[in-house]
Structures are given as structure tokens and as C-alpha cells.
Amino acid sequence: MGSLLRTEAQERAALIDVTGYDLALDLDQGEETFGSDVTIGFTCREPGASTFLDVDAESVTSITLNGEPVDPASVQDRRVNLAGLATDNTVRVVAQMRYRQDGEGLHRAVDPEDGKHYVYGMAFLDAGPSIFACFDQPDLKAPYDVRVRAPQDWVVAGNGAVERTGPGQWTLATTPPLATYFVTVCAGPYAVETDEHDGIPLGIYVRASLGDRLREQRDDIFEVTKQSFDYYHQLFGIRYPWGKYDQFFVPEFNAGAMENPGCVTLRDTYVFRGAHTRTQLFTRANTIAHEMAHMWFGDLVTMQWWDDLWLNESFAEYMAHRTTAEATRYDEAWVDFGITRKTWGYGVDRSPSTHPIAGAPAPDAESALTNFDGISYAKGASALRQLAAYVGDEAFLSGVRKHLSDHRFGNATMTDFLGAVEDASGRSLVDWTQGWLRSSGVDDIRLDVEQRDGTITRAELVVTPPQDDPVTRSHVLDLAAVEGGVATGTVRLHAASARTEVPELVGTPRAALLLPNSSDLTWATTVLDEQSLAAVQDALVAAPDPLIRLSIWSALLGGADTGRIDPRRVVQIFGVCWPHETVSSLSDVLGGLVRAFYPYRLVPQHDSAAALATIRDAGRRKLELVDGASPAALAAARLVAATTSDAELLARWAADEGRPTAASGDKDFGWAVVRRSASMGHLDGAQIDRVASADSSMSGHLSELRARAALPTESAKAWAWNQLYGESKLSNYEGLAVAEGFFDGYGENDATELLRGYADRFFAELPEVPQRYGDMAAEKFVIAAFPHRVIEPAVADAARTAIASPDNTAGVRRSLTDALDRLDRALLAHQRFGATASTPVATEG
């Protein structure tokens, strides 16, 4: 039996209502399995009918329905049939479940630093039945009573408030109605920090080995948590409904975080073990605000079926950036959204795998996961931002409050939400919905002007929809005339047709730069005329408004991504302007994007060494401009470390000699240096051993794997390949670390032929990846392990063959499609701009 079909879920929901779960978990049975004993009460509208229960057990001890035994052997394909139902029913399933290492179900991780074990539950999307037998679909919500037995030195928490009732015995308070995919239990020797705000008990948990770091960072985490609570209480008009609020920073987590009511789980890399930048702090704050938004939108009101999963994530994405911008010290939140989240989303929306924000078919639960991407998050949040601008912010918020109030502790659909906004605003959203939610692709926007003697005589904003989905989409946006970096005039437009006149510009001097979408308010590719394009470099250095700078960079990145702008030009502009960028998110993320996607990818091979040197030199110049102890110096040093080929510099930095003060003593920075040295062939496995012996942490272990996989030798690649696909049993994080290092450094050493030989082997091994690493981790693995540095048509052909193969899962095919699109864009750039080398190769000295 495959994934739960929507039709099956509808039939089951029409037949039964679940009245409650009573769950006992025994986590004190060893390292491989745990006990699960669940009793479920439910009613049936048609006595005598049958339904099914979802069970994914290692072994089933017993099943009883209304006191009568059901043969445990009847469990097939994760289901057991329940026949002859009464009006009121009780089913009990006692089973042994297996701990998982793929970040799903009940995941058990071992901290190599101290050997301690940690457990956390991740029931999303369909992993709940591997923890307890259940009716696993989002619209069969019910209250939960949970008891846990665990080793006596562990702490235990979950959705409800917890009470220790005896040695190793824990009882959790009855919850309000929850969807199965929100149920979690976290257990282990976690370090904990507690606080209270507005009557809400607060807890933060992390591995014991990170306890000192948590104590240093607790105040910042609690501050953002409290600020977010205050903002949401004011905004929604509904108090937080889940009692206490725990945040567990857990190891080997696939996502950024998961919004389990009352017990949020987050990846533990958000508790920084060393030096960190403001961008990293913002990302953590934004994630905290995102998950808290879900406590209302997603948890209090839950989607009816997985095809509305986008609305949960779009709403939380939008609210998180709004909250951090307005309620915390991170007033640059919308700048970060533009360069980080929207850049990700644009890449997806320009690719063959694009899909409408809403209305994408989800005939089964698994297919919904394939659309869990930059469209669901970044484009959906942009659409909601547009909706607020379209109907007015107060009408938008009134609709949100009505939606939350009307469907409290229940389920709802997109139609319910939009209906509430229509009622509040008095405006029809039929056309808006069709344009924004039920169509796909990115519109191009440009300003068409005529001028005489330097004065504009005609100005129109031109909107061109994508050829594959040419729907009319309205845009609320700003347009700025920029001279000397300063916006000398800004116009707010509502562009509801292909051409919109801009009379405010007529009769004004033609500015050096005419910039549509100057506040980055809408979702579109900005196409600059040649006169404006010629002015962007000066504007990026001089513009005081970070949204102006963001919008320029968005136009440049989008132009290179679509083959309109030579990627070498983007690198040249980066080299001049990046050292002067002062907003950390824009600086840090942009540095990572240009480094990752330009040399040896978008930039042709014969110009890539020069491009890499330009990026490196930008990092060096920034180090000269900023305080060496500042987070900006750390970001610049990271860029230099990732791009330099200077073996002597890398050796000094690896030995913690001559580093900028901000990176001094930082082990993670040291590992970045080691990884770069390894990929360049400047060190060997024995030298990596020596570094690893001084860092036994989980982070150190993963960094060691990346560095070993990056070594450009036949033996190192053979070892890494065997780790990924041989007999080794890697966790989801370990597999991802090896995959990330495998193709590192291609084109910068003599490993070209060696790596090319592994490209075909990568595609042949793909069907095994989900079985090894789990469905969620597999999609990340495919992107990381894709031979992205081998920019050749043969690799693209092999990817297309793999995408067409039924042997690969839908999630793997989706990740392949996105990776192939990146490769195709690189091939297009090489075709258009790669005929001759255009810049000399810089040298280090």
C-alpha cells in the first residue's frame, strides 16, 4: 500500500470521529526499539461498517477492537482493517517500534562528544504511525493523554505540560485537539533553561554538550520568544492556546523546525557553538517567530488536506518576517526575505518543477511533500504580502482574526481563509486568486520610457507573464528614480494590466537608474534597461536604502539566472560593491550565493578561476574595511577561506594563526579552512585525523566527513562512495555531510576526470537513497550529491533519464528536476557568454 490517498482520507473522515488517544511509550528498552501502547476512542456514523488504522511497527504484540482480538498478522502495508464497528469504539494496539536515524518518526541520536543519547518525535508528514498506531490524517484531530517511561537520568517533554510521577515515569497533561502529525515526545539528558512570560511557562532544551552555549544565548532566545508572543497576541486577538511553550533544539533534524503545539523542535545548529554573525542570529529569531505563528495558523486551525499545506507555511513565513521587522531588533527582516527566501523561491518558480501556490494536486500525502518548496514558503508569503497591500492591512488582519476565530481547534481550507478576507475587505478575490494562487511562473517587469533632451515624455510599466502560464496578475509595487544612489522620486503603482502608465514620471529628468519594485514588495523579475544597468554599480555603493540595494541585486541575480546578463558582469559588480555592503543579511547571503553558483557553474570554465579570485579579493578588501573583531569580519573571513587557493594562508588559519579576531579560536571556522584545504589537495587524511582528534563534537564529526569526502584522490572518493552507498549505516546528517563534500573543488585541481566518472554512478544509485536516508532527507541529499560541478550536456541527459525513471520516488525526481534546471541554466550561460575568456586570472600574493 502506498501513501494515504485523499479519497481514502475523505471516506474515513466521513465515517468516523476520533474522541481521544491514550498513549504510553516505553523508551527504556534499549537503543534499537521502544514500546508503544495506544488506546483510541472513536465513533462511527454507520455501525457495522469498516475502516482502517495506520500502523508502522517493528512488531505488533496485540490488537483489540471493542474488547475482541484482531490478528496482529493482519497488519499489511502499514494498515490494519477494523471491521464491524459500533457507534462508540475503542481500539488498542500494543507494539514494538524502531527508533529511526532519518530525522523522522522517533529519531534517536548519539552525541559523539559524550556518548549520550537523545530522542525526539517528528510525526510529520506520515511518520506518526511509526511512533504509535493512529488515524493518520490532518482532519481527524483529537485530544491526547501521554505517559512516558524513560531512563531515570533523562528529562521528558511533549505537547502537554509534564509531571514526573516516579523514577523514570512521566505523565503529560491532556492536550486540546491535535492533528496526528503534531504529536511529539522529546526525551534525553537535555540541558534546560526556563523562564515565564505573560503567564506562559517557557523552556529551552539542548544536548548536554551544548549546555554552556545555551546558557550564554538563552537571553537572546527568550527575548525573541517573548517579543513574538506579545506581537501575536496583539495581532490575532487570541491568546496562545497551548499552555506551556517548550523549544527543543535537537540533533540531526531535517527541517529548520517543526511547529508541534507546546513543544517546538528546532535544529540544534541554531544554538551556536562558536563565533556567529548577526545574520545567523536573525535566522534563529525568524525561525522562532515562524514556528510560533503556526501555533495559531496550522495548529489552532489546521488544513483539511495536504494540498493546503502551502497556506500554513506561507502564513508563518509572512508573519515571521513581519514580526521580526516590527517587534524585534531585526528591522532588516524584509531585506533578508528578499535575498534569502525569494532568491530560493525564484529559482524554483523559473524551473520546470514550478507549480501554482495553491491548487497543486495532492492525490496522496506523499505527493504533497513534493510541493513543499520555495513556492510554498517564499512565493506564498509574497502573495500574502501582496494580498495585504491589495485589500489594505487592516482588512487583511480582520480576515485573519475571523478565520482563526471561526475555525478554532478545527480544520479549514484556503476557500475559508479567502472568504474571511473578502468579508472583511468587501472586495472580490476571484481574479486575484486566479492570478496569484492558481497560476505559476515569474512575471517580468520593466519600465518603458521615452525621453527628449534628458526629460521623460512617456513612461509605462510593462508586465510580461511567463509563456507557459500567461495569466494576468496584478502587482502592487513601488518604482524609484535613483540618482547618485538616492531615490529622488518614488511612485506606488497598482499594475493590473500588461501596461500601466506612470504619469508621475512624465516631465521629470531621466534618472541614471529607473528601478521597478524598488521596495521589493512584489514577486517578479526586474528587467533593467541598459542605461539603468550601467548605473547599478555606483548605486550599490552609494544607496543608503538597503531595499534599493536589495532590489538591484535581485535584478542582477535574476538577469544572470535567466540568461539576460553575463554572469561575469555580476561577479565584477560583486567584487567592487560587496566590500561596502553594511546590512549583514544582504552581505552574508549574497556572498554565499555568488560563491556557490557562479565560479565553475554559471561562469564558463576558462573564466572561473578569475571569478573565484574576484570573490576572494572582495572578501580580503572587506577584511581591511571592517573591525577585525566584528561579525562582518567573520563573514568576510569565511568568504576568503572558501575561495582562496593560498596554501600558506590556509595552513596558518588552520593553525589559528593570523586569523581575524572574530574567527580566532573558532572550531567551525577552522573546519571550513580544513575543508577548503582538503578540496584543493593541500592536506591528506592523516592531517584531517589530527584536526578531528581535537574536536569530538557532533559538529566536528560532520565536518570531518565533509573534509574527507572533499579530498581529490581516488582512494578518498572510493571511501566516500562506499560510505554513501555501501554497507555503512549513516544517519541523515552523516550522509548529507559526505554528499556535500564529494564534488567539492571540482575544476580547481586535477580531479576532473576522477569526478566525472562518478556522475553516471550517482544516477544509478538514486533508487536506494530514500530507503537509506528517509524521504525528507533524500530530497536534500539529491541536491547536495548531484554532480553540479560537471557542467556537461551528458550529465543533463543522464538527469533527464533518471527523472523519467519510475524506479525513483516522486521526491527524488522533484529534487533532480531542480538540480537539472540549475545545470541547464549554467549550460545556457556558457552557450551565450562562454565563447572567449573575458578577464585575466587574478593571482594571490
Side-chain angles (χ1 to χ4, degrees), residues 147-365:
R147 297 175 306 286
V148 179
R149 180 174 178 265
Q152 293 187 30
D153 61 336
W154 285 16
V155 296
V156 171
N159 304 103
V162 68
E163 178 185 0
R164 189 166 191 163
T165 56
Q169 303 287 338
W170 305 77
T171 297
L172 280 66
T174 304
T175 70
L178 301 178
T180 48
Y181 79 97
F182 291 137
V183 177
T184 192
V185 165
C186 299
Y190 287 94
V192 59
E193 295 290 324
T194 61
D195 204 337
E196 182 271 341
H197 180 66
D198 196 16
I200 304 167
L202 306 177
I204 310 173
Y205 298 76
V206 75
R207 284 180 287 129
S209 61
L210 288 173
D212 289 343
R213 305 287 81 78
L214 176 61
R215 281 188 285 277
E216 295 169 357
Q217 298 168 47
R218 68 182 298 278
D219 290 346
D220 182 75
I221 295 171
F222 278 134
E223 179 182 52
V224 172
T225 301
K226 295 172 184 180
Q227 290 168 332
S228 299
F229 266 126
D230 291 343
Y231 188 77
Y232 290 140
H233 282 156
Q234 177 269 326
L235 206 65
F236 301 147
I238 299 174
R239 277 192 59 80
Y240 172 70
W242 305 103
K244 52 88 178 178
Y245 194 73
D246 289 331
Q247 296 176 91
F248 270 80
F249 292 84
V250 298
E252 300 179 342
F253 199 64
N254 282 327
M258 179 64 199
E259 64 269 22
N260 312 303
C263 190
V264 173
T265 44
L266 309 93
R267 58 173 56 213
D268 64 3
T269 51
Y270 287 137
V271 176
F272 312 115
R273 73 168 189 151
H276 47 273
T277 65
R278 180 180 172 92
T279 304
Q280 290 173 278
L281 288 168
F282 165 77
T283 300
R284 180 173 70 190
N286 187 262
T287 304
I288 289 170
H290 179 111
E291 301 311 317
M292 191 182 291
H294 276 307
M295 297 298 121
W296 287 266
F297 214 105
D299 296 5
L300 181 65
V301 179
T302 306
M303 64 204 165
Q304 196 80 33
W305 179 244
W306 298 109
D307 56 352
D308 275 338
L309 182 61
W310 73 270
L311 186 53
N312 285 8
E313 297 306 335
S314 298
F315 186 87
E317 180 94 345
Y318 167 73
M319 281 297 169
H321 286 86
R322 178 173 177 147
T323 301
T324 48
E326 297 182 12
T328 77
R329 62 190 175 99
Y330 301 104
D331 55 3
E332 73 272 28
W334 288 117
V335 176
D336 182 273
F337 177 71
I339 194 63
T340 304
R341 308 300 281 179
K342 289 179 73 173
T343 299
W344 167 43
Y346 283 144
V348 178
D349 208 16
R350 293 179 184 128
S351 78
S353 66
T354 189
H355 55 88
I357 296 173
D364 57 62

Side-chain angles (χ1 to χ4, degrees), residues 110 269 415 471 757:
V110 181
T269 51
T415 301
V471 68

Side-chain angles (χ1 to χ4, degrees), residues 126-161:
D126 60 356
S130 68
I131 305 174
F132 59 99
C134 56
F135 296 107
D136 192 30
Q137 59 190 72
D139 58 344
L140 288 177
K141 300 172 79 169
Y144 283 76
D145 288 285
V146 179
R147 297 175 306 286
V148 179
R149 180 174 178 265
Q152 293 187 30
D153 61 336
W154 285 16
V155 296
V156 171
N159 304 103

